[in-house]
Every structure is written in structure tokens, then in C-alpha cells.
Amino acid sequence: MASPRTLTYSLYTHWDVVESLVPLTRDFPAFDSQQLLSVIARANPALDSAQRDEVLRQMVSSDLLRLLPRGNALELHPLVLEFVRGLTREHDLGLSEVLRARVDAIKDATARLADGVSSNQSDSMRGGAQKLSELFRQISQQLDQDRHAILELAERAKSADANLPLSRRYAEVLEAYDSYVEPMAEMMDSGPSGTFYRHLENAEQALDVAVDTLEVRGALYTHRLAMRQVAFQAKELRRLGREVLKQCSDTLLPLREELRQHNALSAAISHLLGQVRKRGLRRTLRSATLPLWQRDMQRRVTVGNEVLTLMSEALNYVPDTVAFPEEDGGSKEPLFDLVDEGSLLAALRRDAPIDNLLEWLHRQYPQWNDATTLRLYHEIVQQPQWRADQPESPVSQTLNTVRVRLHPHRILASNDPA
Amino acid sequence: MNTTVTIDLNRLPSLADLFAQFNAGKHLNRVGNHSLWAELEREQAQYEALFAALGYALKIDGRGFAWFHVEESSQNVSKTTRQLALLLMLIFEFKADAGVHLAKFTDWVIDQGLFDALIEKNEMLLKAENLADVESLAQVMRAASNYGFATADQGGWRLLPAVFRYLDRFEELARKAPDEPGDDEVEEAEL
């Protein structure tokens, strides 16, 4: 077995290699010489093969590396491992049971101190105080290491591959919360179930009484000072405990809640999808229960292309030129016919009977417009002074511009004797 | 006692933009529109008062989205919101089955590959809702994109924080008794 001085010196000399080896001990409890040589090469790239072998040999001979029984594997010296882990904050999370056992041990040490005070036995007092001091130191150390272990654990979970299943990513977090933070919170509860503060308080009181007793008794200053320092340690431990618990909870609780939220949401969605499969979407998710939004449609009326075409046509509208007929200045026909009704009636009376009144009128007054001829024809036949009749068969009568088909009135005689 | 609220319009240069967004039924997301969001957050009280006076209920969620809240909507919106709810549930179920962290949904890419996987896994369910083809699902995502629940990205879509509105409702609905009395009698009419 190497001496402590040699071991420490060797650790100093090969610190780079040991520092690289310590994180690897999480995955490999022991190493073979090839692994060790490659770690040495990585830590000291300048060394050649023979020098690397020499480094390995020195580390084994100084007991930094120890040969495992029943094999050729080498392991790091456990004390060195603990020491380096403590220095590099690579500690694993401690066991809450260990913490609990140490907290419980405070009670026994306090009882021993109180016994010493009451029975006035200096050795017992000193022994109790030393035991308390040792426990406070161990508990402080463990709390500090655990704090860093938990921070690292949370970092690992957060920085792990996002594609890893959530339960795997956060497995360590959940385990740490359930197996460490919760028991620790329970232990540090200020209520009757919490032991940490109760035991610490008792220890502080016992230490204060011991300091007073030593002063009254006029004990050595160094004894009184030692006792007072243990009392300070107790006070400091109370503060540290509170701080570590808060820090651990603050670190792990959000991650745990995140996982719980994930589980709550995925459970809710699975439940709803089950309902949709059974009952249909419309009956499971009513629109009123879902997010809604109002879309104010901007009703913009625009003119369609057809209307635009019409409008452009209207804009460029050029009326068709229609040629009006030339004024017929050459027509000699008078617009109005002068009719001497008296002579007409006299002639009619003279010529009666007349077989075809229209033909007679046209023959007698061929210069008249057809309209005048026809108008007079109708006036004459309606006058009661004429006896007239109409033949069965129609005849055609050609006038100046029109041809009329009619049953022509026949003037038989005038009823008027004059 | 009458109190007169003075709203300084000079401090609201993006009023027209914001109103146009909200009034079109869109959700404003912090990640999608930093400048508008910054102004909305800075002048939150003024905007709330102004929109309330106009008869709109502006809601701003601390997770980074805002919208005009309504209790009733048109048939078209009802149909869209229901289809989007179904698609989101299927996407989240798919991701949860893969062990992916659901709170990080804004990182997911919603693309044709995902649609194919969803259709393969939920063909019957999607067929019942006439959504069992990639184009129909893409149509739903396009609608989601129009209303600020997603944004087009690299030939697919990414979900935006406004999706939390759906996630909240899913949890709320699942917490309620699954079979409320008279639930089946009330059928919603749909075009």
C-alpha cells in the first residue's frame, strides 16, 4: 500500500489523466490497460507509446490505479475517486436514507452531549460535541454534493436528444424527485413529522447550554470556543438545508410538472379521440366548445367583366347613321282634297242607281287621295237619305295607290225627293 | 362619477394592421409577428379599451397569442374549427405515442410525410369525416394558417402558440363528464 504522500504526489503528477478517468467511472467500474493507455494518450497527446506505458506503470505503482482481484482490470483508488469527484462536482446524487440516518444520529449525539452536561462529565460533553460536529460536516458535504448532482441531472435531462421518448429523458428527474427531493422535503418539514429542524434545534439548545455550563465552570477557552463553533455549524446547516431543498425543488419541479402536463394532455386527447371514434366528431366536439373566430367578410361589390365590356361599349357608343328618306318635293298631290259635297250629292242623285259606289267615286274624282275617296264612301253609305244594299259576292277595286276588296254598296235611289 | 378615457392614437401606429388582422378572424402570434406583438403588449390597456368600445373582446394570452373572442360563429367556421381540432388531436396523439415532448409543438414540421402516417393510422376515422386524403388535410392546415394557428414553412407547416387554445379546450373537455345528460339529443345542424 502506497503512502498518502506518494498517492497525493502521484495524483498531482497525473491529474489530467485522473480527471479524464473520473467521469468514465460512471460507465466503467474498471478499465483494461488499452482503455487506460488511450485515456493517457488523450490527456497527454505529446507522449509516445513508451512514455504512455511508463505513465500507466507509475500510476499503478503509486496505487492510483489498483489491480482488481481475479483479473487484470484496474480501478481508480476509491479514496482518490471520491476526492476528485468532490473537487470536480461529479458526485452522484446521494441517498436520502443516508441523510436521514445522519440526521437521526444528531439525536443520539445531542443526547450524549446533554448527558455530559447534566452529569458534569467533560469527556462525554466533548465526545458528543465532536460527534455533532462530524455529523454536521458530513451532512453539509452531502447536501452540497447533492445540490450539484441534481443540477447536473436536470441539465442532462434538458439537453438530451429531443427525439428521445420523454419518459426516458426525464426518468432520472422523476426518480430523483421521488426518491430524494420528496423524502428530503418531508424530513425538513417544519411540522411535527419533520426531523431535520427539530433535531438541529435540540442540538443547538444542548450546545448553547454546554457553552454556558463551560463558561460558568470556567473551562478552558479552547474548549468553549470549540463548543461555540459546533453551535455555529448547526446554525449554518439549518440555512444550507433550507437553501438546498429550495434549489433542488426549483430545479426539478418544473421538469416534473412539464412531464405531468404532457401526460395530462396526451391522456385528454386519447380520451377525446376515443369518444370521436365511438360517437363521431360532431357529437363529441360541439363547435361552441371549440375555439371560434369571427370573420367579418368584407363584402366588396365589384363589377364583372361582362358589365365592364358593356360600360366600355357605352362609353364609345357611336350611333348608327340612319339615312332619312329624301324629301319628296316632286309630289304634286295635294295634301288635302277639296270636296264640293253639294255637287257630289247632286251628281250622285243624278246618276243613281249606281252599282258600285266606290268605283263611281273613283271614276268621278280620280284626283282624290284614296283616303278621301274611302272616307266619303263611308260617309255616304251611312247617310240615311240613300237606299242602298250590298251584293253577296265581294269585288276588288283598285284605287290610286291601294286595292280594296269589299262588298260594294249599291245606291239604289235617294230617299230625299228633292 | 364619469371617467373619461383618453386614447392617444399617435401611440398606436399599428392600429389599422392589428384591427385588420383580428377582424379577419386571425390570431396574432408573438413568434410570427414581433413588431405588432411588441406594440400590442406595450399598449395593451389602450388597445383593450379601444376595441371594447368598438364591441370587440380582445384576448391576450401570456403564452404569446391574441385574438378577438367570440362565442358564436358561422357554419363555415364551425366546420373548420372542428376539422382542425380533429387534425390537431391526431397530430398530438401521434407525437405523444412517439414519446415526443408535446409542449414543444412549435418545433414540429407538419408535412406530407406526417399526413401519410396519420392517414395510415387513422384511416377509418378520417374517412368518416371526409379527410382521408393528403389534400383534405392540407386544406385544413391552409385554413389553420389563414387564421394564425400555423405558418407555412419549408413545404409544410409549423404550429403556432395559438394552438394552445385548442389544447386548453381538449383538457377542459376531457375533464368534464364524458356523457352529459341530454348530450345526444341536441344535434347541431350543419350545412
Side-chain angles (χ1 to χ4, degrees), chain B residues 35-47:
Chain B
S35 58
L36 282 184
W37 181 266
E39 181 176 322
L40 181 68
E41 214 168 35
R42 191 182 65 238
E43 305 293 345
Q44 181 173 346
Q46 304 248 2
Y47 275 117

Side-chain angles (χ1 to χ4, degrees), chain A residues 164-166 258 261-262 268-269 273 276-277 279 281-283 285-287 289 291-294 296, chain B residues 23 71-73 78 81-82 92 99-102 122 129 147 165 169 171 179 183-184 187-188 190:
Chain A
L164 269 182
L166 208 61
E258 211 171 276
Q261 183 66 28
H262 166 96
I269 287 175
L273 277 175
V276 172
R277 287 194 174 93
R279 304 166 36 163
L281 183 61
R282 262 193 313 136
R283 292 168 78 181
L285 299 181
R286 304 196 182 296
S287 58
T289 60
L292 293 174
W293 55 88
Q294 193 72 52
D296 268 9
Chain B
N23 201 35
E71 295 292 343
E72 284 182 13
S73 202
S78 300
T81 192
R82 205 180 288 122
F92 275 77
V100 176
H101 197 340
L102 297 187
N122 304 284
E129 305 301 331
Y147 295 117
R165 275 192 81 190
R169 300 316 279 267
E171 287 195 48
D179 295 305
D183 207 21
D184 285 350
E187 275 283 346
E188 266 186 48
E190 189 173 344

Side-chain angles (χ1 to χ4, degrees), chain B residues 4-165:
Chain B
T4 310
V5 180
T6 308
I7 295 176
D8 181 2
L9 291 180
N10 291 327
R11 289 173 58 188
L12 313 178
S14 305
L15 173 62
D17 284 351
L18 282 169
F19 183 74
Q21 282 236 6
F22 291 138
N23 201 35
K26 290 190 177 184
H27 292 66
L28 179 72
N29 288 274
R30 183 195 287 135
V31 291
N33 205 325
H34 299 285
S35 58
L36 282 184
W37 181 266
E39 181 176 322
L40 181 68
E41 214 168 35
R42 191 182 65 238
E43 305 293 345
Q44 181 173 346
Q46 304 248 2
Y47 275 117
E48 277 173 346
L50 180 57
F51 289 145
L54 290 169
Y56 297 97
L58 172 66
K59 298 265 181 183
I60 301 180
D61 193 292
R63 289 168 290 188
F65 56 96
W67 74 101
F68 273 174
H69 192 75
V70 292
E71 295 292 343
E72 284 182 13
S73 202
S74 67
Q75 289 284 350
N76 270 344
V77 172
S78 300
K79 191 176 173 189
T80 308
T81 192
R82 205 180 288 122
Q83 288 185 336
L84 181 57
L86 176 64
L87 179 55
L88 287 175
M89 285 198 295
L90 293 179
I91 292 173
F92 275 77
E93 189 194 42
F94 183 81
K95 294 287 184 182
D97 288 348
V100 176
H101 197 340
L102 297 187
K104 302 242 172 102
F105 63 83
T106 49
D107 297 343
W108 305 341
V109 177
I110 316 293
D111 57 6
Q112 187 174 343
L114 179 63
F115 288 158
D116 287 337
L118 290 181
I119 292 169
E120 189 185 341
K121 193 178 168 196
N122 304 284
E123 195 173 0
M124 297 289 284
L125 181 55
L126 288 169
K127 264 188 181 159
E129 305 301 331
N130 294 324
L131 290 172
D133 60 280
V134 171
E135 180 46 37
S136 301
L137 295 181
Q139 182 64 40
V140 176
M141 282 311 294
R142 277 196 286 275
S145 187
N146 282 343
Y147 295 117
F149 293 106
T151 179
D153 182 60
Q154 295 172 2
W157 290 270
R158 277 183 194 278
L159 299 177
L160 290 171
V163 165
F164 273 120
R165 275 192 81 190

Side-chain angles (χ1 to χ4, degrees), chain A residues 339-376:
Chain A
V339 177
D340 182 354
E341 201 163 333
S343 64
L344 168 65
L345 290 178
L348 192 59
R349 198 173 294 120
R350 185 190 64 218
D351 287 357
I354 298 166
D355 282 345
N356 187 338
L357 178 61
L358 188 63
E359 187 269 336
W360 182 84
L361 279 171
H362 183 55
R363 196 177 63 243
Q364 292 292 323
Y365 308 100
Q367 72 278 12
W368 287 353
N369 289 325
D370 292 346
T372 309
T373 308
L374 287 169
R375 178 174 62 81
L376 284 168

Side-chain angles (χ1 to χ4, degrees), chain A residues 237-339:
Chain A
L237 186 58
R238 279 173 70 165
R239 187 198 62 77
L240 183 71
R242 204 164 38 237
E243 187 183 300
V244 169
L245 177 63
K246 182 173 181 310
Q247 199 171 8
C248 292
S249 299
D250 288 353
T251 309
L252 294 185
L253 198 62
L255 298 177
R256 186 163 161 265
E257 285 307 307
E258 211 171 276
L259 192 61
R260 282 199 173 165
Q261 183 66 28
H262 166 96
N263 290 338
L265 180 61
S266 61
I269 287 175
S270 297
H271 172 75
L272 285 179
L273 277 175
Q275 295 287 316
V276 172
R277 287 194 174 93
K278 273 187 268 178
R279 304 166 36 163
L281 183 61
R282 262 193 313 136
R283 292 168 78 181
T284 309
L285 299 181
R286 304 196 182 296
S287 58
T289 60
L290 291 174
L292 293 174
W293 55 88
Q294 193 72 52
R295 179 159 192 183
D296 268 9
M297 300 287 283
Q298 292 190 342
R299 294 182 198 284
R300 188 178 295 167
V301 178
T302 54
V303 177
N305 286 336
E306 297 84 350
V307 180
L308 285 176
T309 311
L310 278 177
M311 285 168 73
S312 72
E313 282 175 359
L315 211 59
N316 300 318
Y317 176 70
V318 179
D320 288 339
T321 311
V322 178
F324 280 92
E326 291 288 323
E327 191 181 350
D328 189 4
S331 172
K332 300 290 184 288
E333 283 185 21
L335 283 175
F336 302 103
D337 296 313
L338 294 172
V339 177

